[in-house]
Amino acid sequence: MNLHEYQARSLLRAAGVPMPDGDVASSPAEAESIAARLGGVVVIKAQVHAGGRGKAGGVKLAKTSSEAYEHAARILGMSIKGLEVQKVLVVPAVGIASEAYVGLILDRESQCPVLMVSAAGGVDIEEVAATTPEKIHRLAIDPRYGLLPHRALGLALTLYEDFAAARAAAGIMQQLYAAFVANGASLAEINPLVRTSMGQVLALDAKISVDDNELERRPDLAMLRDESAEAPSEVAARRAGLTFIKLDGNVGCIVNGAGLAMATMDLVKYYGGEPANFLDIGGSSNPEKVVNALRIITADSNVKAILFNIFGGITRTDDVANGIVAATKEFHVKVPVVIRLTGTNEQVALKILEGVGMRALSDMDEAVRQAVTLAREAA
Ligand code: GDP
Ligand code: MN
């Protein structure tokens, strides 16, 4: 689950990370009154689940509160990477001497949190990573010991020669790590971490992604979810109890079980196709789940063919067949559907499908190849 900057800021602040005070607004008038209250120059920042807001015109300095009103009016309602801005953050502006990057991710390859820092922070960090990766220093953290002070200081000294600044940055890295662990984050990032013209080290941006599994035991974090800022298909899937991740390909996949879903996606790729999604309809697949799955997948205009891959164990294949039939009665499925099913109640399922003139395959390879070919022909 991605958090907005203003939400991430409050988690980092709770961990002690220093940053300028600010407030969120949903209207230009609100932004204006926050700016008036803060006094002086402020920054108006679009709150959307996307990076690169600065470059997209979603971060603007305002010298007066009426200028804050104007910028907020322009930024609210703006679309950044397809996401509509519904809130802006208003914070006092800071004079920046230098911009650094500090980020933590859960790295699946090294199987531990990895801290990444760079003195070349700011809006071009992606380009730095792509063209001069040697400017990014990495440290894998053993979660048993956490981020040890001397390791943090070692990294901080790659950011600042000034010892006081380095010590401040090291403290912030440890606070960032504490917030990362305390909130079950898969990513926590400060970009830019700035050194102000007064010599202070401050976080001017905050980004946190919380591992969805953390939300079960942390209702306080789950409350931070902003469904209006998420992909509509992912919201619909979550409501329907489906594990769904939208991807960019054209073969829609409806599978039971996460492992089989991943194997199916691998096979789609193996045969030269691109999966449009990951979707696990779960163990006990009542027909309604299948109807919801089909509705969500057919709403994606990239999808040119749909592949069912059902291995009936606890899942009864006749439930799935009934779901497919119910869905085709409820709405028109415009793209070809390839069904592979085998296992529990297979004969019943085949009869149900035959009843509406549909066929099913039992071989996974063949089904995947057919779906990939059909999608390619339609594209
Ligand atoms: P992002 O582009 O979505 O990552 O948004 P950021 O919050 O990182 O803002 C982008 C850029 O705006 C920063 O790298 C800064 O250069 C600039 N910026 C943000 N806040 C301030 C501020 O208080 N003062 C000044 N001078 N620039 C700021
Ligand atoms: Mn940023």
Side-chain angles (χ1 to χ4, degrees):
M1 178 181 77
N2 291 322
L3 299 183
H4 286 299
E5 176 189 8
Y6 74 91
Q7 298 170 322
R9 277 168 52 94
S10 68
L11 297 184
L12 292 189
R13 176 169 303 234
V17 174
M19 58 184 88
D21 242 324
D23 217 339
V24 269
S26 312
S27 70
E30 242 183 294
E32 182 179 22
S33 77
I34 297 168
R37 176 161 52 78
L38 293 173
V41 184
V42 296
V43 190
I44 311 289
K45 307 182 75 180
Q47 299 297 288
V48 277
H49 293 164
R53 295 166 304 167
K55 286 190 172 170
V59 179
K60 292 275 186 229
L61 273 114
K63 291 192 202 69
T64 62
S65 55
S66 62
E67 212 179 305
Y69 181 100
E70 284 162 32
H71 284 313
R74 212 163 306 134
I75 293 172
L76 287 163
M78 191 173 148
S79 164
I80 299 179
K81 294 184 182 158
L83 300 164
E84 194 197 323
V85 182
Q86 296 168 350
K87 286 192 178 110
V88 289
L89 174 69
V90 184
V91 276
V94 191
I96 299 175
S98 68
E99 300 194 10
Y101 172 92
V102 178
L104 265 161
I105 53 153
L106 191 66
D107 180 40
R108 294 183 193 282
E109 220 151 282
S110 48
Q111 301 182 6
C112 57
V114 170
L115 178 62
M116 296 174 292
V117 310
S118 178
V123 295
D124 290 320
I125 191 67
E126 277 87 8
E127 201 183 316
V128 172
T131 57
T132 47
E134 69 279 2
K135 288 191 180 163
I136 299 176
H137 298 268
R138 285 160 208 274
L139 173 71
I141 299 170
D142 185 328
R144 288 172 300 180
Y145 311 119
L147 176 57
L148 298 169
H150 68 283
R151 304 301 304 269
L153 189 58
L155 274 181
L157 284 164
T158 70
L159 302 182
Y160 305 113
E161 279 175 22
D162 178 72
F163 196 75
R167 208 157 46 194
I172 292 171
M173 288 174 201
Q174 288 189 279
Q175 291 160 337
L176 182 68
Y177 181 76
F180 178 89
V181 173
N183 296 297
S186 49
L187 176 143
E189 190 179 88
I190 299 171
N191 184 36
L193 178 74
V194 301
R195 194 159 173 234
T196 68
S197 31
M198 315 289 284
Q200 268 178 305
V201 181
L202 295 176
L204 282 205
D205 189 11
K207 183 174 178 189
I208 292 181
S209 301
V210 178
D211 189 314
D212 283 351
N213 295 305
E214 188 74 11
L215 304 176
E216 293 289 329
R217 56 177 182 183
R218 289 288 302 276
D220 57 323
L221 289 177
M223 265 175 50
L224 299 179
R225 190 184 284 286
D226 176 6
E227 291 196 328
S228 69
E230 298 179 327
S233 56
E234 293 192 3
V235 176
R238 193 175 332 107
R239 292 217 176 117
L242 303 164
T243 309
F244 173 86
I245 293 162
K246 188 181 161 2
L247 301 167
D248 296 329
N250 60 10
V251 181
C253 302
I254 302 179
V255 188
N256 70 308
L260 187 60
M262 287 196 280
T264 306
M265 291 162 66
D266 281 348
L267 210 57
V268 166
K269 287 206 132 197
Y270 179 79
Y271 285 121
E274 284 294 335
N277 64 278
F278 168 94
L279 193 155
D280 171 13
I281 58 171
S284 63
S285 50
N286 60 48
E288 192 54 33
K289 271 193 176 179
V290 177
V291 175
N292 286 327
L294 262 173
R295 188 180 291 118
I296 289 159
I297 286 187
T298 50
D300 179 351
S301 59
N302 289 338
V303 171
K304 300 295 179 222
I306 294 172
L307 169 67
F308 273 87
N309 188 9
I310 306 297
F311 189 86
I314 299 169
T315 302
R316 292 167 35 175
T317 59
D318 54 324
D319 272 350
V320 176
N322 277 324
I324 296 172
V325 173
T328 52
K329 280 186 186 146
E330 253 182 65
F331 50 88
H332 179 55
V333 181
K334 281 176 279 197
V335 298
V337 178
V338 180
I339 305 163
R340 181 261 177 160
L341 53 81
T342 186
T344 310
N345 291 357
E346 182 178 332
Q347 293 311 320
V348 186
L350 292 176
K351 282 241 165 58
I352 292 166
L353 292 173
E354 261 167 37
V356 293
M358 295 181 99
R359 279 175 5 92
L361 304 164
S362 58
D363 185 66
M364 174 160 158
D365 263 271
E366 200 185 330
V368 173
R369 251 179 301 163
Q370 274 194 18
V372 169
T373 308
L374 287 166
R376 188 180 305 131
E377 284 168 2

